[in-house]
Amino acid sequence: MNALRLLAVIGCLQLAAGYYLPGTYPQEFLVGDVIQAEANSLVSSETEMPYDYYSMPFCKPPEGVQRATSTINPGTILLGIKIQNSPYNFTIMTKQQGLTVCNGEDYPKHAYTPLIPKEVKMLRDKIRQQYRVRLILDNLPITTYDLELDPESVRPGYEVGYQVGDKYFINNHLMFKVLVHETHGQYTMSQMDEAEVEAAAAVEAGGRRLLKDEDEKPKPKAVAKGKPAAAKANKRGKPEPRTIVPGQKMYMVVGFEVVACSIKRTPGEPINKNLICPQTPDDANAPEPQEVKKGAEIVYTYDVYWDTSDITWSSRWDAYLRMPGGKVHWFSILNSLMVVVVMSCIVAMIMMRTIRRDLQRYEQLLVDGGQGQDVEESGWKMVSGDVFRAPANPLSLCVQIGSGVQILCSGFITLLFAALGFLSPASRGSLLTAALVMYLLLSVGAGYSAVWLWGLTNRSYEGWFKVCWRVACFFPGVTVAVMTCLNLFLWATGSSGAIPLGFFFSIIFLWLLISIPLSYSGGIIAAKQEIKQYPTRTNQIPRHIPSPHWASHPLVLFFAAGLLPFGTIFVELYFAMTSMWQGYFYYIFGFAFLVSILTLIITIEVSIVCTYVQLCAEDYLWWWRSYYRGGSISVYVLIYSIGFLVNTLHKLTGFLPVVLYLAYMGLMVWCLFLAMGTIGFLSSFLFTYAIFNAAKSD
């Protein structure tokens, strides 16, 4: 019985370990513990091209540069995030001043080697382009904001330096302020308890095995076998359990602030610990700054200060993830809800009154006309013999609809997981990694929907394999081609945003090994389904389409269809793009998920209304036009992104940053077009099928 209870406890612990998100497990430190900061890639909102921290003339740690392997995932690689160890060391609750960064045999004077012209140009370029250094302590990014003043928003990092006239100065002195929350070791004790429980389970299991083999074998052997199990329990990224006294004071890092300044020091001389960063560079009492020039030997130094805070570990990310304009988000959602209600009323009126009235009038005409052979039809009923006529270029439509289904489903699932909090901001790159995994796995949905639609339009599944091949290559092929071109530019500049060649081929390998086979699997499933029968028969001779009224003109319906959905996402689009392109965190996925749901509903309703208007104008070419109308929101997003570039990102310098921005936004707009176009087409198809099926029943 005790063994069963012990196994139950182990099972619960294993489930808890499975739910554990990397980088989010609480760590407690004792006074005197030494922790090391990590260095992330340098970024700038003026170039949007990240650079490796050690590509700059910065000092390296004595033990050598080592990349944090726990942070390597497809998302961080694609985003150019490269986290490595740094020479900045912190002793818990110990005030330190005048510490040198350049230590070891490579820096005998505790200064960086004299700058060469290439390094001078590199530093000046990064200062002029306002690049920011992003250090990390206990997985928490550094910031220049005062976290205890509850800032409206927080931007990670500090600037490399500053420019005064034609001179450039580097921020070579850092005053760190680490906020800690006092605890009594409860998290560490829980880890110790977990390790003890697992060790006890291993001891008992080992003892049973030993008793079975040799009843007289001593028990210490079982204890020895239990130790490795306890050790293995700590290989999940959690801190190693340590021996502590119950109630002993421990500390958790809840804030990482910095004040960066420029102080000129003489290499090889003792560090003057009384020099501190001035309030402003123009301060009369400010020390002489360190200019970036040829032959300069830069002495990098730092101070460390500690302060206890009421910020708890669970809320230490709140300041970083806070977005301004909280009420604006709610007003936007309420506005969208009002639009949904109004559009729902319009659709209900069309479905319940207008169409029903048309059907009743048609039925009455049949009764009055005897057998109904001389009855003249009117409105949408006049195209009953052509409404399900196969569209032009059905293969292309099937491929685009299949790609749209794949993008829509993968994006929806990823956003749902993010809204539920499964994609922690502490686990960098997790959002993009999840989206990539979902996209690969949902290739089966792309193959299924494309082949299903091919059978519907072609009235036969003959040649379905070419549909699967094209839908598997359509969106990934174009994306890989664009990324390859961009990579050539990024490789030439030395940016860490360039995708490594090995990972590039790994993506292609995954595409060949997973995406294409899953696409064919979906196609096989769809090809075994029975082709849906249309409610009406198609005439052999196509009906003449009269000239449309201006209100039902295809262009008018196209631009009108995207206006309301764009108005729904406008506010969230602004915050998302600001965070994406200006270096802030974006984590209000709850709002984004609600807005996405409302946008889908509005797109469905608008598509139904526009298709009804088109059919009433006796225009039966709704297949492609419903798809275009659904994706018309992307036109407004494209126009908005260009306006965002001109007004907000006007500081983008150089040709390549603009090309990068337009290329990435172009891919995003195309994804939106495929996804929303699919929604528009499917909703129009179901609506058209429903009304003509009702007409057939009547």
Side-chain angles (χ1 to χ4, degrees):
M1 190 64 180
N2 292 332
L4 291 176
R5 291 177 180 175
L6 193 59
L7 289 175
V9 173
I10 291 296
C12 294
L13 291 175
Q14 291 295 334
L15 287 175
Y19 183 76
Y20 159 74
L21 295 173
T24 63
Y25 198 86
Q27 296 195 50
E28 295 175 304
F29 303 97
L30 293 169
V31 175
D33 284 352
V34 178
I35 55 178
Q36 187 180 61
E38 295 176 312
N40 200 348
S41 303
L42 277 68
V43 294
S44 170
S45 60
E46 293 194 6
T47 64
E48 304 299 344
M49 292 189 298
Y51 282 89
D52 182 6
Y53 177 82
Y54 290 108
S55 65
M56 300 292 109
F58 296 149
C59 296
K60 299 178 181 179
E63 66 272 17
V65 178
Q66 301 170 0
R67 187 168 183 179
T69 56
S70 61
T71 63
I72 300 177
N73 57 60
T76 56
I77 295 175
L78 291 173
L79 293 173
I81 297 175
K82 192 174 183 181
I83 300 178
Q84 304 164 101
N85 62 330
S86 78
Y88 296 98
N89 297 295
F90 301 80
T91 304
I92 299 296
M93 300 305 293
T94 302
K95 179 181 177 181
Q96 298 167 296
Q97 292 179 297
L99 298 179
T100 57
V101 180
C102 305
N103 300 305
E105 298 178 355
D106 295 336
Y107 312 104
K109 296 182 180 180
H110 297 290
Y112 192 82
T113 54
L115 296 179
I116 60 177
K118 180 181 178 181
E119 294 173 332
V120 171
K121 182 180 183 303
M122 189 183 304
L123 274 178
R124 289 180 176 179
D125 289 342
K126 299 302 176 288
I127 293 174
R128 185 174 58 255
Q129 295 166 353
Q130 298 183 3
Y131 267 83
R132 301 178 71 85
V133 179
R134 299 184 297 171
L135 298 180
I136 301 171
L137 185 66
D138 190 29
N139 208 31
L140 204 61
I142 198 169
T143 182
T144 56
Y145 295 76
D146 191 336
L147 299 175
E148 292 189 302
L149 294 181
D150 197 23
E152 188 177 38
S153 60
V154 171
R155 188 178 184 186
Y158 62 90
E159 293 187 347
V160 175
Y162 59 93
Q163 180 181 1
V164 178
D166 58 349
K167 294 185 177 181
Y168 297 84
F169 303 95
I170 186 171
N171 289 326
N172 63 324
H173 182 71
L174 305 177
M175 295 175 59
F176 295 108
K177 179 182 177 182
V178 184
L179 302 179
V180 294
H181 185 74
E182 184 177 321
T183 66
H184 297 286
Q186 55 267 32
Y187 294 102
T188 304
M189 292 295 293
S190 65
Q191 295 172 48
M192 294 172 61
D193 294 340
E194 177 183 342
E196 290 175 0
V197 170
E198 294 187 3
V203 169
E204 185 165 344
R208 287 198 302 270
R209 288 194 300 270
L210 291 169
L211 288 174
K212 183 178 179 181
D213 296 336
E214 297 181 38
D215 292 339
E216 297 181 357
K217 200 157 188 176
K219 291 184 179 179
K221 294 290 184 180
V223 176
K225 285 183 175 289
K227 291 180 181 178
K232 291 179 182 177
N234 300 322
K235 294 181 179 180
R236 303 179 186 132
K238 303 179 185 180
E240 291 286 341
R242 66 181 86 183
T243 302
I244 63 171
V245 179
Q248 185 176 4
K249 283 187 179 181
M250 300 188 75
Y251 300 91
M252 296 193 300
V253 177
V254 295
F256 191 27
E257 304 171 6
V258 68
V259 175
C261 62
S262 181
I263 299 178
K264 184 177 181 180
R265 301 182 188 272
T266 304
E269 293 188 0
I271 303 298
N272 185 359
K273 299 181 179 181
N274 296 322
L275 294 179
I276 60 173
C277 292
Q279 296 293 330
T280 62
D282 299 331
D283 191 344
N285 297 322
E288 182 183 358
Q290 175 63 60
E291 184 180 356
V292 178
K293 58 183 179 179
K294 181 182 177 181
E297 296 181 84
I298 303 176
V299 179
Y300 293 95
T301 56
Y302 65 103
D303 303 332
V304 182
Y305 302 91
W306 301 84
D307 192 10
T308 56
S309 173
D310 294 331
I311 301 174
T312 61
W313 188 91
S314 60
S315 60
R316 66 176 189 164
W317 275 90
D318 290 356
Y320 295 91
L321 305 180
R322 187 178 295 113
M323 292 291 293
K327 294 183 179 179
V328 175
H329 297 283
W330 288 113
F331 285 134
S332 173
I333 291 177
L334 291 176
N335 176 62
S336 302
L337 283 174
M338 294 298 296
V339 174
V340 168
V341 171
V342 172
M343 290 302 302
S344 299
C345 294
I346 295 175
V347 173
M349 183 178 64
I350 291 175
M351 296 292 292
M352 299 179 62
R353 296 187 59 186
T354 307
I355 294 179
R356 179 56 57 186
R357 185 181 58 196
D358 291 344
L359 292 173
Q360 290 175 353
R361 183 175 58 187
Y362 178 67
E363 183 179 2
Q364 185 63 37
L365 288 173
L366 286 177
V367 173
D368 295 342
Q371 300 299 322
Q373 296 178 356
D374 299 328
V375 177
E376 182 180 356
E377 298 176 355
S378 60
W380 57 271
K381 278 291 296 178
M382 298 186 69
V383 297
S384 60
D386 298 274
V387 70
F388 292 109
R389 186 178 300 280
N393 198 2
L395 179 59
S396 177
L397 179 64
C398 295
V399 170
Q400 295 188 50
I401 294 298
S403 299
V405 168
Q406 186 178 7
I407 294 171
L408 184 67
C409 293
S410 59
F412 180 83
I413 295 175
T414 303
L415 191 57
L416 176 62
F417 277 106
L420 294 176
F422 288 102
L423 302 178
S424 169
S427 182
R428 293 167 178 82
S430 59
L431 182 67
L432 190 56
T433 302
L436 181 61
V437 171
M438 286 295 106
Y439 181 82
L440 287 173
L441 295 179
L442 288 170
S443 298
V444 63
Y448 179 89
S449 55
V451 172
W452 175 84
L453 185 58
W454 172 254
L456 190 70
T457 56
N458 203 39
R459 309 312 298 169
S460 171
Y461 288 120
E462 183 180 357
W464 65 268
F465 51 87
K466 66 179 180 182
V467 179
C468 289
W469 172 252
R470 294 195 182 188
V471 77
C473 299
F474 178 59
F475 182 79
V478 175
T479 303
V480 168
V482 173
M483 297 300 292
T484 301
C485 295
L486 295 178
N487 247 24
L488 295 177
F489 290 109
L490 292 174
W491 280 332
T493 60
S495 170
S496 63
I499 303 175
L501 195 60
F503 180 76
F504 194 81
F505 284 109
S506 298
I507 292 293
I508 297 178
F509 178 74
L510 289 175
W511 171 51
L512 295 174
L513 188 65
I514 298 178
S515 183
I516 294 179
L518 285 178
S519 179
Y520 274 95
S521 300
I524 292 173
I525 297 173
K528 293 181 180 180
Q529 305 296 317
E530 184 180 354
I531 297 176
K532 194 176 186 66
Q533 297 298 319
Y534 293 141
T536 61
R537 289 187 299 177
T538 303
N539 298 330
Q540 292 184 354
I541 302 176
R543 179 184 176 86
H544 172 70
I545 301 176
S547 299
H549 186 266
W550 70 267
S552 58
H553 194 278
L555 286 178
V556 175
L557 293 178
F558 174 81
F559 287 106
L563 195 58
L564 285 177
F566 176 73
T568 305
I569 68 170
F570 174 77
V571 174
E572 289 304 318
L573 183 64
Y574 167 77
F575 286 105
M577 291 187 63
T578 301
S579 302
M580 184 188 310
W581 296 108
Q582 293 195 312
Y584 294 93
F585 286 100
Y586 182 86
Y587 203 66
I588 48 177
F589 293 110
F591 286 113
F593 184 74
L594 290 176
V595 169
S596 300
I597 296 295
L598 294 175
T599 304
L600 291 178
I601 296 174
I602 293 175
T603 302
I604 292 172
E605 294 172 341
V606 170
S607 298
I608 291 175
V609 172
C610 290
T611 300
Y612 175 75
V613 171
Q614 179 183 351
L615 294 177
C616 287
E618 303 178 19
D619 184 357
Y620 53 84
L621 302 178
W622 60 271
W623 297 80
W624 277 106
R625 289 179 184 174
S626 64
Y627 174 72
Y628 290 144
R629 285 193 294 263
S632 61
I633 182 179
S634 61
V635 175
Y636 293 96
V637 175
L638 179 62
I639 296 173
Y640 178 83
S641 62
I642 295 175
F644 189 83
L645 172 63
V646 174
N647 296 319
T648 306
L649 299 181
H650 58 276
K651 291 185 177 181
L652 278 181
T653 57
F655 171 75
L656 183 55
V658 175
V659 171
L660 289 174
Y661 173 83
L662 294 176
Y664 291 139
M665 287 306 303
L667 287 175
M668 294 178 189
V669 168
W670 189 35
C671 286
L672 183 65
F673 175 80
L674 293 172
M676 302 308 293
T678 299
I679 290 293
F681 170 79
L682 293 178
S683 57
S684 296
F685 172 78
L686 294 175
F687 168 75
T688 305
Y689 187 90
I691 62 174
F692 281 95
N693 190 50
K696 177 183 177 181
S697 301
D698 290 344

